[in-house]
Amino acid sequence: MNFLYVTKKLLSAFLTLIAVVIFNFFLFRVVDRDPLAKYRGRSKLSIAQREIMIERLGLNGSKWQQFITYIKSTARLDFGRSFDSTRPVLREISDRLPATLLLVGISTILTILIGVYIGARAGWQRGSRFDRVSTSATMVLYATPEFFFGMLLLAFIAGRTGWFPTGGLRDVGADTSGFASILDRAHHLVLPSLTLTLGYLGSYSLIMRTSMLETLGEDYLTTARAKGLRDRDVMMRHAVPNALLPSVSFIAISFGFVIGGAITTETVFSYPGLGLATADAIRNTDLPMLQALFLVASSAVIIFNLLADLTYGLLDPRIGRAK
Amino acid sequence: MSIEAVQVSPRQMTWLRRRRALLRVWRELRHDRSGFTGLLLLVFFGVVAAAAPLIADRSELLAAAGRNNPDLAAPSAKFLLGTDDIGRSVLSQLVWGSRVSLFIGLLATVVAVVIGSTVGLISGYVKGRVGSLLLAIDDFFLVVPFLPLAIVLAVILGRSPVTLALVIGFTSWAGSARLVRAQVLSLSERGYVERARALGANSRHVILRHVLPGVAPLIIANATLIVPGAILTESTLSFLGFGDRLSPSWGKLLDGAQSSGSITLNAWWYYLPPGICIITVVLAFTLFGRALERIFDPRLAGR
């Protein structure tokens, strides 16, 4: 992987980010002609207060001036105040970000590991019992909305057995420091991350299975077999690494879906992260929050795609090699 | 006999050929077990949606309809699937919900397919600035997470079913544009397209008369695979608060089940049926769409 490749990928990620920021302005200031009309307390505002709101939302002046104001404040990470809580949006987001990062991080790692394993094995043993069962199962997983998984887990595991809490981040009144608190938080994470993992396992393993099938006919597998390698080694050393390559970019694109899944999963489990904040912002028509949350979600996908591109460069020596 | 055959106009010949191709697809579908099962399920849900007024009266969806019924009552002879938290029959809502879910899913797909095919056809066929601009737009929409985008658009544009369908369609065309573009690129190299161009046909003619028929099977198979995604997105958006409680889709029913606490109350008749309907319809579309893909693209056979 050479310098040029990395620079190119960094630059394209940066440009996409800029495009998202501009698109965001377009959505909230051009498509939405009167953002203030969605502020629920607007009828009680005096004329002076209304002026202040317009000033605060950056709605004064021509669209061009508004755009400049918007760019300046976005660059300072100033997203205004939430309509609902009236706290600064940045505070709301930074308070809730760690919980979501933890949930999405754990689920993504689990989904990739399990999905790649199932997909690779199913593709390698095409037509076998494992392939038939796992492919049918992944189709059903794919067809199930992740929040329905969450509801089922709540009803049949949390509700019936009481083994896991039904929601929240930690027990009320629990010790907030030390080992016990880590256990408590892990306990609260089990069902939400299981929900998110089950929700996206299907698409990840289907992707891996397809790219495994693509590699099956390749000559280097015949060569490896001719060398006398055991079937397992041919699969692990030759087929899987090559099949992983195309999967990397597909998995990166699917990450956008996981972000969407976090919104409903957090809603089902009242897990106070950015997803629940999004659901609340929808119900309260909290435009400043939505605007920032959309930026955060898009940036997360852009960063994840960048990481995938860089991983791709590391995995595939042909990419980015100086010619 | 032979004289008659000569009198068939080119147009009629084209239609004869298409009819034969359609019959071939039907024959292969009959032998594709999972694809045919999917089709049967779709026919079932289509009939239920069409016959909704015969199965349950629309007035049963009104908030007032449940006033004299017990709330969250378990299934009984009167209410085969029990009642919801305001006493309305769950079965009636489920039956009418199939209309809402299928309508939004299909309309969204039409929007996505029209945008996706147009962008794919033009960006694949037209080189130069227009082509690369469209490609860049497509790239952008592939990266932007579609659910947050759909949420933002739905909040800004309104929450009616038609708006939801437009929003979902507008956020799910990028993948199919990419597919269509790839197919167009490979078709443009074929002899018959070059021949048409050499004979002086303009881009419009070549795209509509020669390239579009070539990519049409792919577009159809792909559309069948967009529907399940659109139905899932609709259910997600409804679950998050969009949509109309008095004319609920399956996702909206799940939202009602969740917010009324039916889970802690063990009211399984409220939350299980809509979830199972969503899974079944999505699965049916996926099986059917994958079968079409296999039939149109023999390289995929045996997968």
Side-chain angles (χ1 to χ4, degrees):
Chain A
M1 197 161 58
N2 67 354
F3 180 70
L4 191 68
Y5 178 78
V6 178
T7 322
K8 228 169 84 183
K9 290 298 169 192
L10 278 174
L11 192 69
S12 109
F14 183 71
L15 285 178
T16 316
L17 197 62
I18 301 280
V20 166
V21 169
I22 296 172
F23 187 60
N24 201 21
F25 175 82
F26 180 76
L27 284 176
F28 285 88
R29 292 290 182 271
V30 182
V31 180
D32 192 4
R33 272 184 240 124
D34 187 10
L36 199 56
K38 297 197 171 57
Y39 181 60
R40 265 192 302 178
R42 68 182 178 282
S43 53
K44 293 195 205 93
L45 292 176
S46 67
I47 292 172
Q49 282 170 317
R50 205 184 144 82
E51 291 298 314
I52 295 174
M53 278 300 284
I54 288 177
E55 171 83 42
R56 206 190 263 166
L57 288 171
L59 290 175
N60 40 359
S62 66
K63 285 283 172 227
W64 180 247
Q65 282 165 322
Q66 290 183 26
F67 182 68
I68 301 293
T69 322
Y70 162 80
I71 293 290
K72 278 185 186 158
S73 48
T74 306
R76 286 195 311 265
L77 294 180
D78 174 8
F79 303 109
R81 286 168 181 274
S82 154
F83 278 176
D84 188 39
S85 71
T86 68
R87 290 175 67 217
V89 168
L90 186 62
R91 282 289 301 280
E92 291 280 353
I93 287 188
S94 58
D95 282 355
R96 288 150 176 262
L97 183 64
T100 297
L101 277 182
L102 198 60
L103 172 63
V104 171
I106 291 178
S107 317
T108 306
I109 293 170
L110 280 177
T111 315
I112 291 177
L113 288 179
I114 306 175
V116 163
Y117 170 77
I118 294 179
R121 197 171 151 192
W124 188 245
Q125 307 169 357
R126 175 168 59 154
S128 70
R129 210 181 128 91
F130 181 86
D131 182 29
R132 284 202 311 272
V133 173
S134 72
T135 305
S136 314
T138 46
M139 297 279 275
V140 176
L141 287 183
Y142 171 79
T144 312
E146 69 292 319
F147 55 87
F148 189 58
F149 274 129
M151 294 169 82
L152 292 180
L153 290 178
L154 266 186
F156 293 100
I157 297 190
R160 299 272 159 88
T161 67
W163 291 340
F164 296 101
T166 53
L169 194 60
R170 55 168 68 92
D171 280 340
V172 182
D175 198 1
T176 52
S177 60
F179 188 62
S181 105
I182 295 178
L183 271 185
D184 183 39
R185 288 200 55 171
H187 197 201
H188 283 77
L189 260 172
V190 174
L191 291 185
S193 41
L194 188 60
T195 302
L196 209 47
T197 306
L198 283 174
Y200 294 92
L201 194 57
S203 41
Y204 282 27
S205 67
L206 280 179
I207 290 167
M208 186 59 192
R209 180 175 178 273
T210 308
S211 51
M212 201 69 177
L213 289 179
E214 302 277 337
T215 63
L216 278 186
E218 296 285 349
D219 289 340
Y220 51 77
L221 294 187
T222 319
T223 315
R225 282 205 195 86
K227 282 195 301 189
L229 288 186
R230 282 178 306 163
D231 187 60
R232 217 190 125 69
D233 288 334
V234 180
M235 174 183 161
M236 294 307 295
R237 298 245 201 101
H238 297 273
V240 170
N242 282 293
L244 269 177
L245 282 179
S247 300
V248 170
S249 44
F250 275 114
I251 286 177
I253 286 178
S254 319
F255 183 68
F257 290 79
V258 182
I259 299 241
I263 299 175
T264 53
T265 305
E266 290 187 6
T267 309
V268 174
F269 291 97
S270 324
Y271 183 87
L274 294 178
L276 188 59
T278 311
D280 289 341
I282 294 171
R283 300 208 191 238
N284 299 321
T285 323
D286 191 342
L287 291 181
M289 274 299 277
L290 277 174
Q291 194 171 1
L293 285 165
F294 178 65
L295 270 186
V296 170
S298 310
S299 319
V301 177
I302 293 170
I303 293 172
F304 197 82
N305 271 288
L306 177 66
L307 289 178
D309 280 335
L310 297 181
T311 316
Y312 200 107
L314 280 178
L315 286 177
D316 189 344
R318 286 167 302 188
I319 299 280
R321 184 195 283 158
K323 277 183 187 150
Chain B
M1 276 299 275
S2 61
I3 295 168
E4 265 175 344
V6 171
Q7 283 171 339
V8 174
S9 72
R11 182 166 291 249
Q12 279 173 310
M13 236 158 74
T14 317
W15 280 111
L16 272 174
R17 202 184 62 222
R18 290 200 180 139
R19 230 185 73 188
R20 236 175 289 136
L22 216 61
L23 277 174
R24 183 185 66 92
V25 169
W26 169 247
R27 259 201 317 277
E28 288 189 37
L29 196 61
R30 281 286 302 276
H31 295 289
D32 188 308
R33 212 168 45 165
S34 61
F36 198 65
T37 315
L39 182 62
L40 288 181
L41 284 171
L42 291 181
V43 170
F44 169 76
F45 279 102
V47 168
V48 169
L54 303 176
I55 305 171
D57 198 75
R58 208 191 149 97
S59 65
E60 288 180 43
L61 303 183
L62 298 173
R67 204 182 292 143
N68 300 321
N69 301 335
D71 294 345
L72 283 181
S76 61
K78 191 175 173 208
F79 301 109
L80 287 177
L81 284 174
T83 61
D84 71 357
D85 55 316
I86 52 172
R88 294 180 296 169
S89 156
V90 172
L91 183 62
S92 308
Q93 295 184 67
L94 204 61
V95 167
W96 281 92
S98 63
R99 278 195 172 192
V100 185
S101 292
L102 289 175
F103 168 73
I104 297 184
L106 292 173
L107 182 58
T109 304
V110 171
V111 174
V113 167
V114 169
I115 304 180
S117 318
T118 312
V119 172
L121 277 170
I122 298 179
S123 73
Y125 189 78
V126 182
K127 304 284 176 313
R129 214 174 289 165
V130 178
S132 31
L133 179 69
L134 284 175
L135 191 61
I137 294 178
D138 190 23
D139 274 338
F140 180 73
F141 275 94
L142 272 179
V143 172
V144 172
F146 82 101
L147 189 62
L149 177 58
I151 287 173
V152 166
L153 282 172
V155 165
I156 293 175
L157 296 175
R159 306 179 177 216
S160 77
V162 176
T163 319
L164 279 191
L166 295 180
V167 163
I168 296 170
F170 183 72
T171 49
S172 36
W173 55 269
S176 64
R178 186 53 63 87
L179 267 175
V180 170
R181 179 175 180 270
Q183 183 79 359
V184 170
L185 284 179
S186 91
L187 279 181
S188 310
E189 305 299 314
R190 303 273 172 86
Y192 69 92
V193 174
E194 275 184 41
R195 196 178 315 135
R197 246 178 312 192
L199 287 171
N202 60 13
S203 297
R204 200 186 126 86
H205 178 89
V206 176
I207 290 183
L208 291 181
R209 279 311 175 92
H210 297 286
V211 180
L212 186 59
V215 291
L218 177 87
I219 292 177
I220 294 169
N222 182 244
T224 325
L225 292 173
I226 293 181
V227 187
I231 291 179
L232 282 176
T233 311
E234 187 280 327
S235 71
T236 307
L237 288 175
S238 297
F239 183 75
L240 288 171
F242 298 101
D244 180 3
R245 257 213 94 177
L246 295 180
S247 166
S249 69
W250 294 330
K252 200 66 198 161
L253 279 171
L254 284 177
D255 176 36
Q258 160 86 6
S259 49
S260 66
S262 72
I263 294 172
T264 27
L265 298 168
N266 279 329
W268 54 266
W269 56 89
Y270 194 2
Y271 63 81
L272 279 186
I276 292 170
C277 282
I278 295 174
I279 297 174
T280 316
V281 161
V282 170
L283 204 56
F285 269 110
T286 314
L287 292 176
F288 181 57
R290 283 168 66 105
L292 285 185
E293 240 181 13
R294 277 193 296 268
I295 293 170
F296 293 144
D297 188 351
R299 278 174 307 163
L300 295 175
R303 288 216 171 152

